[in-house]
Amino acid sequence: MPGGRFRADPGSRRASAATEQLEFATAAAIGLTDTPRWLPCQYLYDAAGSALFDEITRQPEYYPTRTEAAILRAAAAEIRERTGPVTLIELGSGSSEKTSLLLSAYGEAPGEVRYVPVDVSDAAIAASRRRVAADHPDVEFAGLVGRYEEVFPQLREHSPAMVLFLGSTIGNFNHGESLRFWRTMSRRLATGDHFLLGVDLVKEREVLEAAYNDAAGVTARFTRNLFVRMNRELGSGIDVTQIKHVARYHDAWQRIEIFARFRTAQEIALGPLGLTVHVDADELIMTEISRKFVLEHLTAYLEVFGFEVVRVFTDDRQWFAVLLLRNRRGH
Ligand code: AVJ
């Protein structure tokens, strides 16, 4: 039982608050001094950001979450059959709502079920722990607060395992990040281990753009919250009322691009670095990308990394897909 090797969930973070603040300030400084400017999207998910994202998933325009949930509901039993008993390791678990469907399917089959959610938000891990304890009392829970890379070295110990990467979170990665991710995954997972990947698919611009510009303005608050967080944690002194959320689909790059547009010129202080960045009126700061995928291209790409596509599950409209992969490489 590897439970003892895990950090217990909320609270017991490895890095000190000062180290984390310095990391945040440095990451923000790198992006804000780059051209065009950008900020790393993982910082969107503090407690407030995670709660806002949960609210996004309930907006009528945001189809990915409910589409993926329906796919998983229909596919869970077959997935369990194909993988046999495995430890479920979930990257970027959020509140693990969809995972519940899989935990049920694995729970109905014989054998112990072990669930290892990994999330940068300790609030999200805490919520996940409560939900799993209430709905799946027999599941062994070993939550981990941290970045994905922090669990990579432990993956082999969990074999037979299936890594869950749902919600099209992979869409947040740019080309380089994606390449590093899949290369590391195939190397770190044992041969024969599984990977369950949820991806949002290319579709009409109107549908895509509506999903990131919900009428209730929740996504706009989600974007703005990043700067609220900078004010609180880095003393940035940004007037967040002057920030406009901009989300548009870039056709050629098959991705939604999300920006904060500064209506007025501002000075952004990066507290612990003693650095101030000047942003002009109307400047855009990219906060997120959300790539959309074409199945044939994606499966070919994954094969290059040594992942066999065992099965593709999708919805009637082909808006979203869940891919069951098997690692051919590994050690
Ligand atoms: C959690 C990265 C999958 O890209 O759709 C939703 C994040 N941002 N609305 C996405 C998000 C704004 C979401 N992911």
Side-chain angles (χ1 to χ4, degrees):
M1 214 305 280
R5 282 194 288 274
F6 289 101
R7 232 170 339 142
D9 0 304
S12 59
R13 319 222 15 170
R14 190 189 300 106
S16 71
T19 308
E20 280 183 11
Q21 186 203 33
L22 194 60
E23 269 177 26
F24 184 16
T26 304
I30 290 167
L32 289 175
T33 55
D34 203 350
T35 312
R37 300 185 204 272
W38 59 280
L39 286 166
C41 64
Q42 89 237 30
Y43 290 103
L44 288 161
Y45 299 90
D46 62 351
S50 297
L52 282 167
F53 179 67
D54 263 3
E55 209 178 321
I56 288 174
T57 65
R58 292 191 292 271
Q59 298 311 301
E61 299 93 338
Y62 195 77
Y63 62 85
T65 310
R66 67 182 72 89
T67 308
E68 182 180 51
I71 294 169
L72 285 174
R73 197 168 293 120
E78 182 180 340
I79 294 168
R80 165 63 182 79
E81 257 166 55
R82 287 186 185 259
T83 67
V86 286
T87 291
L88 300 171
I89 304 168
E90 183 163 27
L91 305 181
S93 52
S95 54
S96 306
E97 258 177 290
K98 284 167 295 187
T99 320
S100 193
L101 296 161
L102 286 167
L103 292 178
S104 297
Y106 279 80
E108 278 160 24
E112 240 185 45
V113 183
R114 192 185 302 144
Y115 177 50
V116 183
V118 183
D119 202 286
V120 287
S121 158
D122 47 9
I125 293 287
S128 165
R129 167 182 281 280
R130 283 192 297 272
R131 193 186 309 267
V132 170
D135 299 346
H136 308 276
D138 295 333
V139 168
E140 193 187 308
F141 186 99
L144 200 56
V145 176
R147 299 206 198 94
Y148 308 148
E149 313 87 70
E150 296 180 291
V151 290
F152 285 174
Q154 299 174 29
L155 287 178
R156 194 77 45 79
E157 301 167 15
H158 290 292
S159 184
M162 175 163 73
V163 173
L164 312 175
F165 200 30
L166 300 173
S168 206
T169 304
I170 189 77
N172 269 169
F173 294 177
N174 64 31
H175 290 82
E177 290 164 339
S178 172
L179 179 150
R180 279 192 297 279
F181 177 82
W182 289 113
R183 206 175 252 170
T184 310
M185 262 307 147
S186 68
R187 216 165 3 95
R188 294 287 196 173
L189 281 177
T191 308
D193 273 352
H194 288 84
F195 195 107
L196 195 66
L197 176 69
V199 287
D200 197 15
L201 302 177
V202 167
K203 61 183 70 59
E204 308 84 78
R205 166 187 299 276
E206 291 68 34
V207 177
L208 289 169
E209 289 189 341
Y212 295 86
N213 290 286
D214 62 281
V218 184
T219 310
R221 272 157 60 210
F222 178 69
T223 299
R224 224 172 277 123
N225 176 63
L226 178 56
F227 300 90
V228 173
R229 179 179 185 178
M230 287 174 69
N231 284 346
R232 188 180 60 241
E233 295 184 16
L234 307 178
S236 294
I238 302 160
D239 179 356
V240 295
T241 65
Q242 297 306 310
I243 292 177
K244 196 179 163 353
H245 160 86
V246 176
R248 57 197 184 202
Y249 184 59
H250 192 304
D251 242 315
W253 284 63
Q254 297 183 334
R255 63 188 201 180
I256 287 282
E257 299 175 342
I258 303 181
F259 306 89
R261 185 193 295 282
F262 277 54
R263 282 192 263 245
T264 51
Q266 299 210 36
E267 305 297 327
I268 302 180
L270 298 167
L273 299 179
L275 180 77
T276 299
V277 176
H278 174 86
V279 177
D280 277 329
D282 285 329
E283 262 202 73
L284 292 170
I285 298 175
M286 184 184 267
T287 55
E288 244 187 318
I289 58 167
S290 188
R291 298 176 62 191
K292 306 302 162 189
F293 298 88
V294 172
L295 275 174
E296 307 83 83
H297 297 182
L298 178 62
T299 55
Y301 176 86
L302 293 168
E303 294 275 358
V304 177
F305 291 94
F307 284 98
E308 172 195 353
V309 181
V310 177
R311 183 86 158 82
V312 177
F313 304 93
T314 186
D315 56 294
D316 293 342
R317 294 182 293 197
Q318 301 243 66
W319 276 11
F320 201 95
V322 173
L323 284 70
L324 178 62
L325 312 172
R326 204 174 149 278
N327 190 21
R328 285 208 182 91
R329 304 235 173 100
H331 294 278

